[in-house]
Amino acid sequence: MKTILLLAMVTFFTIGLFAQEKFTISGYVRSASDGEDLYGANVFEKESLKGVSTNFYGFYSLTLPKGIYTIKFSSIGYGFKEVEIELDANKTVTVELGTTDQQVKAVVVTRKKADANVDQVQTGVVEIDTRTVKELPMLMGEPDVIKTLQLLPGVQGAGDGNGLYVRGGGPDQNLVLLDNAPVYNTGHLLGFFSVFNADAVKGIKLIKGGIPAQYGGRLSSVLDVKMKEGNMKKYKFSGGIGIISARLTAEGPIVKDKVSFIASGRISYIGLVATEILKNNEDPQLSSLSVPWFYDLNAKLNWKISEKDRVFVSAYTGQDIMNFSNATGTFKVKIPYGNTLATLRWNHLFNSKLFMSTTFVYNNYKASLEGQFGGLSFIYNSGIENFSLKGGLDYYPNDNHDVKFGYDYTFHNFTPGVTSFNTGDTVLESDITSKYGHEVGLYIQDETDIGTRVKINFGVRGSMFANTGPSDRTFYKPTGEIDSVVSKTAGESFATYFGIEPRVNLRVKILEDLSFKAGFNLINQYIHLVSQSTSTLPTEIWVPSTNLVKPEIGLQASGGFFKNWLDNTLETSVEGYYKKMWNQIEYGNHPVSNNNTELEDKFVFGEGESYGAEFLIKKKGGKFNGWIGYTLSETTRTFPDLNDGKKFKSKYDRTHDLSVVLMYSPHKKWKFNATFIYGTGQTTTLPVNYYLTGGENPDIVYEYGEINSHRLPAYHRLDLGINFILLDKDDRYSAINLSVFNAYNSQNPYFFYNETSGDFTKGTFKVTPTQVTLFPILPSISWNFKY
């Protein structure tokens, strides 16, 4: 914590040393059509090109010497406005931008402000808009935020699943936020669709490297998703209907220009319909099947109390329902799981230089596995519940500094896999009890200009985690008998950890449209997801750091060149990274739970390493646009207790990852889209030999080779899409989307299993590895609308 105080003193001393009497223009940039705050809008003075971007809440503050200026306001997807102002005192200017704002009249332009790709200081930042998400080819007609992100360099998916794997990190190493609330499972239908309803989403920002100090607790990335705030001007309806699901969103003013709401719902009905059809099938196996389905709901209230105070209340809940039973009803399984989130946020503007945001967050993720087999029934529950309080201040002392400082506190309640069995006469419950944790973070960072070419964002985060009672920790002997039990009350700690996390981002402008950027961050992760799968399965378990499970530590360094061409319509970048991770967690060789051991006694610990290079070419604007992204990387793990201590390829390793996204609009009513994906096959561990034991009905015993020493065949897929625009006028929109997923019917492997055939008594018995392909060619149609 002393480091944070020292940095604060140095920052404010520097600010005071170079400060001079100046005046500040501040305010908000909003959408003219609905009153939504515009994040990342550019506000700059035309002659000097000195400017700022709006924060996540649309607020800006620009300090300049006394004088007469022309201030330009612009945002991607909107027009721009220019305001001439005599700055002889601090002034407030709030601007609304529309898509039909007039362009600047013909003038002689001597210099042009660089695009954010070159100008911003952070490395590895990606932002996408929801219209792109909706226009790209879709799996079964469902627009998907996560699948769109997987088309970017440095972001890989697990084949047809919906996991998010960033620069060699696991799914738990991504901090996924929906309106500041963490999302612990981002997948619907076992990860094939994401929990984000594109109609309710306002902004999507992914940070792959150089993570700022305001974010903590995850090693690999930050995915910050903001919900829409609700139309302040008029009532609007939007949604879509596809072959598996439907969406409907309503928004509008409760009090015009003062209070607004948005409510959005989504349901996958194919499971409900298919299950009813299968019930009437003559085949008893088919009639007993139940096709999984899901639903989710988003809601938000936006109350503008005054220009200085604003309150937001947002909520999300979603549930997946999966049931299965055999024809006789002797075997039944039910797997419900889902997230519930709620956020209360208060924004306050103290003055033109100081902006505050305070947020209370509730989060609850639950997963269950309920089954019945003969006379035995069982229930398996796992999950995590959080209560959080976050506060942050944005301070703009002058035109060269943007200072952020704040705190966050989270109380964690873990349910790490509690199992109970009921035999009819006896009820057995596992000894695993709830675990608790307190996580605290303090941070300060400053983004400052050093001359006209260099910008630096430097900060530090102090973190603390305490694993506390009330709970018991049972220690077992090798024989399975209890050795001892350690009990802690609510105020006592099993283990407490502290961390100091420096963060630095540097940008050097070589030319107006060419820059070099570098980033470095050190991060501690105190909660962990333990799984043997690369899918977002509901049986995955979140666990805290304890006296045995140490915090994960990640160090990442990255750097690259960013160059724009053709008036900022063509973006190119080359970026390299190196990541080292300590205290990585895997299951040991016997992951099956029982009643004579603690869950964490089954874990083994090691190190991880990932490095690679990312290449991006992106065309913006005009009739033809899109991007090509390519990643060359390697990701390895080293565990003393696995693979004889030898280094092995991680299950997240992808040597080559290529994505091509093409969008062509020859006419205002037609948009053609295509995406092509190629990726090195996933690593896996396969048997290298087998033998039979047990006489007339032998069992097969497999001998496995080194961990992840084999690869599945390469994954490649072409998706095609056509959007026919029925209406796009006066904020009204209607379009038909035709998509073909896996257009040339690539037989991509989902997993392999060992198929047996022949008779071992006749010497014809053999075991054949057999590939399972999940998705063949799949055409779909959907309708998206906004009125």
Side-chain angles (χ1 to χ4, degrees), residues 374-578:
L376 173 68
S377 63
F378 62 90
I379 300 176
Y380 174 90
N381 292 310
S382 67
I384 179 172
E385 183 180 39
N386 292 343
F387 296 89
S388 302
L389 181 65
K390 305 179 182 182
L393 290 165
D394 290 11
Y395 178 48
Y396 309 90
N398 56 45
D399 56 323
N400 288 327
H401 291 272
D402 179 359
V403 182
K404 299 181 188 294
F405 47 96
Y407 66 90
D408 50 72
Y409 163 76
T410 300
F411 170 71
H412 299 284
N413 180 1
F414 300 86
T415 306
V418 177
T419 308
S420 65
F421 297 91
N422 189 337
T423 64
D425 299 323
T426 307
V427 177
L428 301 174
E429 293 188 358
S430 63
D431 293 332
I432 299 174
T433 60
S434 294
K435 297 181 182 293
Y436 305 96
H438 300 266
E439 187 171 358
V440 179
L442 298 173
Y443 68 88
I444 181 171
Q445 69 182 38
D446 182 19
E447 185 167 304
T448 181
D449 291 304
I450 303 175
T452 59
R453 295 288 182 181
V454 179
K455 178 176 285 190
I456 185 169
N457 180 304
F458 62 99
V460 65
R461 182 180 180 89
S463 59
M464 184 277 290
F465 184 87
N467 171 220
T468 66
S471 61
D472 300 331
R473 172 58 162 103
T474 304
F475 296 89
Y476 293 90
K477 298 178 181 178
T479 59
E481 299 174 344
I482 295 178
D483 185 17
S484 62
V485 178
V486 176
S487 299
K488 298 288 186 180
T489 65
E492 295 181 303
S493 172
F494 288 100
T496 301
Y497 298 97
F498 298 90
I500 297 296
E501 307 172 11
R503 317 285 179 87
V504 180
N505 283 282
L506 172 71
R507 185 221 67 200
V508 179
K509 266 195 176 180
I510 301 170
L511 300 171
E512 191 60 38
D513 55 7
L514 171 65
S515 66
F516 170 78
K517 301 180 190 179
F520 170 86
N521 53 247
L522 182 68
I523 299 177
N524 290 270
Q525 180 168 327
Y526 298 106
I527 67 174
H528 323 278
L529 182 67
V530 185
S531 170
Q532 288 193 314
S533 171
T534 57
S535 300
T536 51
L537 296 176
T539 52
E540 296 170 331
I541 299 171
W542 285 92
V543 297
S545 294
T546 65
N547 57 331
L548 179 62
V549 181
K550 307 299 182 184
E552 298 177 57
I553 301 173
L555 178 153
Q556 182 177 195
S558 59
F561 291 91
F562 299 78
K563 167 70 173 167
N564 288 357
W565 312 78
L566 304 176
D567 239 3
N568 289 323
T569 60
L570 184 66
E571 296 181 357
T572 59
S573 63
V574 179
E575 194 170 356
Y577 71 89
Y578 174 81

Side-chain angles (χ1 to χ4, degrees), residues 322 324 332-336 368-372 377-381:
M322 293 181 288
F324 173 80
K332 298 179 179 179
V333 175
K334 182 179 181 182
I335 311 177
S368 297
L369 178 62
E370 305 172 17
Q372 179 180 327
S377 63
F378 62 90
I379 300 176
Y380 174 90
N381 292 310

